[in-house]
Amino acid sequence: FAPILYVLPHNSFEEAVSINNEVAQGLSSSIFTKNTEYIFRWVGPEGADSGIANVNIPTNGAEIGGAFGGEKETGGGRESGSDAWKQYCRRATCTVNYSKSLPLAQGIDFS
């Protein structure tokens, strides 16, 4: 295990993300940009395919309270950090109506 830095030329943001995601590893990735659109796309579902997606900081280390773990051949799951419990849970909203009527949400009435 060794940290490796690749700096590759690219012609577009999409190409940079594609190059980043082509590798078999996915522990940590970084992007350096001032473009807020790129920042949100990088950390979103179509961005970095890694367990840690950094912006304007290197890939070494991680925030102590954050979820830690990689994707692809470098892990899968978030066994450390304050979010570790979330992988064992399924969150859902459940509303139970005990009345004999069928009310609309928030008491909406169309009459």
Side-chain angles (χ1 to χ4, degrees), residues 3-46:
I4 299 171
L5 170 67
Y6 290 102
V7 179
L8 302 169
H10 60 279
N11 295 313
S12 67
F13 176 80
E14 292 77 16
E15 182 184 9
V17 171
S18 177
I19 291 169
N20 178 77
N21 293 343
E22 286 176 359
V23 300
Q25 299 77 24
L27 179 58
S28 182
S29 297
S30 291
I31 187 173
F32 288 82
T33 184
K34 291 182 180 179
N35 185 320
T36 53
E37 176 189 348
Y38 292 167
I39 292 171
F40 288 105
R41 289 173 62 193
W42 178 252
V43 300
E46 301 299 319

Side-chain angles (χ1 to χ4, degrees), residues 3-107:
I4 299 171
L5 170 67
Y6 290 102
V7 179
L8 302 169
H10 60 279
N11 295 313
S12 67
F13 176 80
E14 292 77 16
E15 182 184 9
V17 171
S18 177
I19 291 169
N20 178 77
N21 293 343
E22 286 176 359
V23 300
Q25 299 77 24
L27 179 58
S28 182
S29 297
S30 291
I31 187 173
F32 288 82
T33 184
K34 291 182 180 179
N35 185 320
T36 53
E37 176 189 348
Y38 292 167
I39 292 171
F40 288 105
R41 289 173 62 193
W42 178 252
V43 300
E46 301 299 319
D49 187 13
S50 57
I52 301 169
N54 294 315
V55 177
N56 297 334
I57 59 172
T59 59
N60 60 322
E63 292 298 321
I64 192 69
F68 183 84
E71 295 296 332
K72 301 184 274 188
E73 290 184 15
T74 50
R78 306 291 180 267
E79 289 292 335
S80 300
S82 62
D83 290 337
W85 62 270
K86 290 181 181 178
Q87 69 181 343
Y88 301 104
C89 298
R90 181 179 154 271
R91 292 182 67 181
T93 299
C94 179
T95 303
V96 179
N97 175 20
Y98 288 102
S99 73
K100 294 185 188 245
S101 64
L102 187 59
L104 297 174
Q106 291 89 33

